[in-house]
């Protein structure tokens, strides 16, 4: 899930560094979250309602002894976010039946032992167009381009710049109004993690081992503009072109970052 409104924090002071014990708890939360995402991917099929996916994934998370992080989060009326085609994020599961050729972003969070995991992927529904496949692939790869810069001593916007450069080099647009975020005992903690380099440099802390952040590119095939539907949740592209989303919660280490919502898919 991606927080809004977008307000950059002024410093790294409020970023919570996790202890090894906390990291262990976050690994557990992350693994359940990733398994829930993988399950959701197997459920995306023509004819299935988004509500049915929500229910099955929520039952899986609860069966693991965890709680879906988005359940009633700020009043969100379901357990996971399912965003189809021109829906970017925060889609509300309901009676909509998926159709062959749709692209389906499933964003999942799980809370267990006091810590959250948060991850997302966009799945194809049956056979999809080459254009839709490319959008999904570029969005996913932009995450990996970004976390290649997620090294202790680098700055946060080194991740942002890498995501942005990769996405824009493929002719796609980065959503500005919603961003990644720290994750821990709260689903959304400092810092905010934009997928582009903001015009001002405030809120660009150095990365330190023990930081846990969700990196989540939201990528539009057309323009960057988005709007929110009357349900006050679902974010859609202004131009109606399709969007994709990919996210993992990661740990900054003294070497390569560790994906806590593992395995990544
Ligand atoms: Mg998130």
């Amino acid at each position: 899930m991606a927080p809004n409104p977008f307000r950059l924090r002024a410093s790294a002071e409020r970023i919570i560094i996790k202890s090894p014990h906390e990291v262990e708890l976050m690994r557990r939360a992350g693994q359940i979250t990733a398994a829930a995402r993988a399950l959701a991917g197997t459920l995306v099929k023509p004819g299935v309602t988004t509500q049915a996916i929500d229910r099955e994934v929520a039952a899986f998370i609860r069966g693991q002894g965890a709680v879906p992080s988005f359940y009633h989060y700020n009043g969100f009326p379901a357990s996971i976010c399912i965003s189809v085609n021109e829906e970017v994020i925060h889609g509300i599961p309901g009676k909509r039946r998926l159709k062959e050729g749709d692209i389906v972003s499933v964003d999942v969070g799980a809370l267990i032992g006091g810590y959250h995991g948060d991850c997302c992927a966009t799945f194809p529904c049956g056979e999809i167009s080459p254009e839709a496949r490319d959008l999904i692939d570029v969005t996913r790869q932009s995450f990996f381009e970004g976390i290649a810069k997620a090294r202790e001593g680098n700055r946060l916007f080194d991740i942002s710049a890498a995501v942005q450069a990769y996405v824009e080099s493929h002719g796609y647009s980065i959503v500005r109004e919603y961003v990644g975020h720290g994750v821990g005992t709260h689903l959304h903690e400092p810092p905010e993690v934009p997928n582009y380099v903001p015009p001002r440099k405030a809120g660009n802390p150095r990365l330190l081992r023990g930081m846990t952040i969700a990196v989540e590119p939201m990528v539009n095939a057309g323009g960057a503009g988005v709007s929110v539907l009357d349900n006050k949740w679902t974010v859609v592209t202004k131009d109606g072109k399709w969007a994709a989303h990919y996210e993992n919660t990661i740990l900054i280490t003294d070497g390569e970052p560790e994906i806590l919502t593992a395995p990544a898919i």
Side-chain angles (χ1 to χ4, degrees):
M1 198 178 239
N4 173 267
F6 176 43
R7 291 189 302 275
L8 284 175
R9 265 71 176 188
S11 77
E13 287 170 12
R14 295 166 62 203
I15 298 175
I16 298 162
I17 303 293
K18 274 69 175 187
S19 70
H21 176 63
E22 290 177 298
V23 167
E24 197 48 53
L25 292 171
M26 289 197 66
R27 268 190 205 107
R28 183 167 162 232
Q31 285 163 6
I32 292 170
T33 312
R37 169 178 58 184
L39 170 64
T42 68
L43 301 173
V44 169
K45 290 190 175 98
V48 173
T49 66
T50 53
Q51 193 169 56
I53 298 172
D54 178 71
R55 286 180 180 157
E56 190 156 343
V57 172
F60 170 79
I61 292 170
R62 292 188 185 279
Q64 300 294 309
V67 174
S69 300
F70 309 164
Y71 181 70
H72 289 181
Y73 182 85
N74 289 342
F76 186 73
S79 294
I80 64 175
C81 301
I82 305 182
S83 309
V84 183
N85 299 343
E86 80 285 355
E87 297 173 350
V88 185
I89 51 169
H90 302 170
I92 301 173
K95 294 188 166 63
R96 178 178 188 156
R97 282 187 193 280
L98 298 177
K99 292 202 289 258
E100 181 95 15
D102 284 344
I103 61 171
V104 184
S105 299
V106 182
D107 196 346
V108 180
L111 169 68
I112 186 167
Y115 289 81
H116 293 273
D118 188 2
C119 67
C120 176
T122 302
F123 298 102
C125 185
E127 287 293 313
I128 62 172
S129 70
E131 293 79 12
R133 182 78 255 173
D134 188 68
L135 177 65
I136 289 174
D137 291 346
V138 168
T139 303
R140 179 180 183 279
Q141 184 58 32
S142 73
F143 165 87
F144 289 97
E145 299 290 326
I147 69 161
K149 305 293 182 187
R151 292 283 189 146
E152 188 168 52
N154 282 358
R155 287 194 181 270
L156 186 68
F157 294 170
D158 294 335
I159 301 172
S160 313
V163 171
Q164 180 177 19
Y166 187 78
V167 167
E168 292 180 350
S169 75
H170 285 79
Y172 299 137
S173 302
I174 294 281
V175 172
R176 263 52 173 184
E177 289 88 340
Y178 299 85
V179 296
H181 50 93
V183 184
T185 56
H186 292 88
L187 180 62
H188 296 142
E189 296 182 352
E192 293 185 338
V193 184
N195 297 300
Y196 69 101
V197 180
R200 63 191 175 85
K201 292 288 185 179
N204 188 14
R206 277 200 195 284
L207 299 172
L208 301 172
R209 71 186 76 178
M211 288 182 179
T212 48
I213 57 175
V215 178
E216 51 175 318
M218 289 152 266
V219 177
N220 294 352
V226 294
S227 50
V228 180
L229 297 184
D230 288 343
N231 67 24
K232 301 210 178 346
W233 278 102
T234 310
V235 177
V236 297
T237 61
K238 273 196 174 145
D239 59 15
K241 295 189 176 170
W242 288 8
H245 184 197
Y246 186 78
E247 174 181 29
N248 284 296
T249 303
I250 67 166
L251 168 71
I252 306 299
T253 75
D254 57 355
E256 286 188 11
E258 177 183 336
I259 293 179
L260 295 172
T261 46
I265 54 174

